[in-house]
Amino acid sequence: SAKRHGRNHDRRFRPSLEVESDRHLIILNELRQALAQGAQLEVYYQTQHRLDDGEMIGMEALLRWHHPDHGMILPTEFIPLAERHGLMPALGSWVIEQVVAQISAWRGQGIKVVPVWVNLSALQLIQGDLESRLISTLSQYRVPAPLLGLELTESVLLDERAGDISPRLEALRREGLQIAIDDFGTGYSSMAYLKRLPIDKLKLDREFIRALPHDHADAAITSAVLAMAQGLDLDVIAEGVETTEQRDFLLARGCRHVQGYLYARPQPASAVEERLRQSDSTALT
Ligand code: C2E
Ligand code: MG
Ligand code: MG
Ligand code: MG
């Protein structure tokens, strides 16, 4: 039949697509099992620092998957897949609970903790009970809300399926949680939402940092964002800072916070715990 013919036609001319989708389905199933068992998934932590004196001021939670055959799989590979196939609210909840439990464990050992920021996907926000789940997880583990930050990208913030999220973010902030816009400058952003949405922090995407200080456009954009944020009373953290030249440029333009390989790579909780113990910071406990 014509239908059958069409299928054969596809197979002959687009073999890589079919192989790719088979591979995705296998990975998806393995991810489902990994989530059910919890064993292969791990939250890594990347520290964030004050630019002027290097003091640790926070960390970002970044999900890792230790696959038995493929080694470490990065989130850019499996999170979009999880989002497309309905695994994302569950995976996101798992990350949040791991992070809150970890903060609680550190506090229980008398370790001074800095705020930990988790990435939220659009599907977690569309799920209407995100706020109550967050609040109940925090209280279950007796973790003060200011120790948890939420990172939302512009596309998540502006996703219409989530409705008007301004009052929801406002409610979370009233509870004490902090809100950051992740990958700032790379989405379909309009400056209008900066006026409208209750936000604590902008994370300047590493796209703009990479070629500093030599690239004129990146230098101009970075300088302008820093000036604007100052006027709006928003903190800015620069992502992906790898060199001292980048750091010096940012420092000279009034950027106060950084995250990047120059300071630390994402690392397991045990490794970051060492740094927390060493740091004699004014961190919250
Ligand atoms: P992101 O939230 O923008 O996280 C920052 C990414 O930049 C991380 O990649 C981090 O390892 C990387 N990075 C940090 N400093 C540097 C640097 O100096 N140089 C370079 N080249 N890279 C640097 P990672 O861990 O691969 O995560 C990629 C993305 O996956 C994240 O981007 C975030 O969008 C997503 N993601 C990670 N964990 C989660 C999660 O638990 N939930 C959700 N929804 N998304 C997550
Ligand atoms: Mg992030
Ligand atoms: Mg980012
Ligand atoms: Mg990014």
Side-chain angles (χ1 to χ4, degrees), residues 13 37 43 69 86-87 123 125 131 191 206 213 238 240 261 281:
F13 287 99
Q37 292 155 5
V43 177
D69 307 322
L87 217 61
L123 291 169
L125 242 104
E131 298 90 317
M191 296 300 150
R206 75 166 185 270
Y261 294 170
S281 68

Side-chain angles (χ1 to χ4, degrees), residues 41-193:
L41 298 172
E42 184 177 7
V43 177
Y44 272 34
Y45 296 86
Q46 186 180 28
T47 58
Q48 304 171 331
H49 299 264
R50 211 154 55 200
L51 250 172
D52 54 3
D53 62 1
E55 183 80 50
M56 194 196 306
I57 47 115
M59 19 185 180
E60 178 173 10
L62 295 160
L63 187 55
R64 296 292 182 264
W65 180 12
H66 305 287
H67 191 284
D69 307 322
H70 306 305
M72 191 195 283
I73 308 186
L74 291 173
T76 41
E77 190 160 354
F78 63 87
I79 284 180
L81 196 66
E83 276 172 341
R84 280 203 303 278
H85 295 275
L87 217 61
M88 202 48 220
L91 195 55
S93 298
W94 185 86
V95 170
I96 289 168
E97 176 146 17
Q98 292 295 307
V99 167
V100 174
Q102 182 64 72
I103 297 173
S104 177
W106 281 330
R107 279 163 49 85
Q109 295 171 58
I111 296 171
K112 284 189 174 180
V113 184
V114 289
V116 183
W117 297 79
V118 297
N119 294 284
L120 290 190
S121 92
L123 291 169
Q124 286 173 275
L125 242 104
I126 290 163
Q127 203 184 31
D129 60 347
L130 174 74
E131 298 90 317
S132 55
R133 283 154 155 277
L134 280 168
I135 305 306
S136 78
T137 304
L138 287 166
S139 73
Q140 184 192 335
Y141 287 94
R142 295 168 206 244
V143 168
L147 287 177
L148 192 64
L150 307 176
E151 297 192 359
L152 301 94
T153 62
E154 291 164 333
S155 64
V156 170
L157 281 170
L158 303 175
D159 193 315
E160 285 173 356
R161 293 173 299 174
D164 180 8
I165 69 161
S166 184
R168 300 178 59 191
L169 297 183
E170 197 59 75
L172 287 166
R173 280 179 94 210
R174 265 199 308 275
E175 293 286 341
L177 285 92
Q178 305 183 70
I179 313 283
I181 301 182
D182 202 356
D183 304 342
F184 182 73
T186 61
Y188 297 96
S189 47
S190 87
M191 296 300 150
Y193 78 77

Side-chain angles (χ1 to χ4, degrees), residues 225-234:
V225 170
L226 286 166
M228 178 189 70
Q230 206 160 38
L232 291 170
D233 209 17
L234 287 169

Side-chain angles (χ1 to χ4, degrees), residues 207-222:
E207 158 93 27
F208 303 115
I209 308 298
R210 192 181 297 123
L212 290 181
H214 310 291
D215 186 285
H216 289 305
D218 289 336
I221 290 167
T222 302

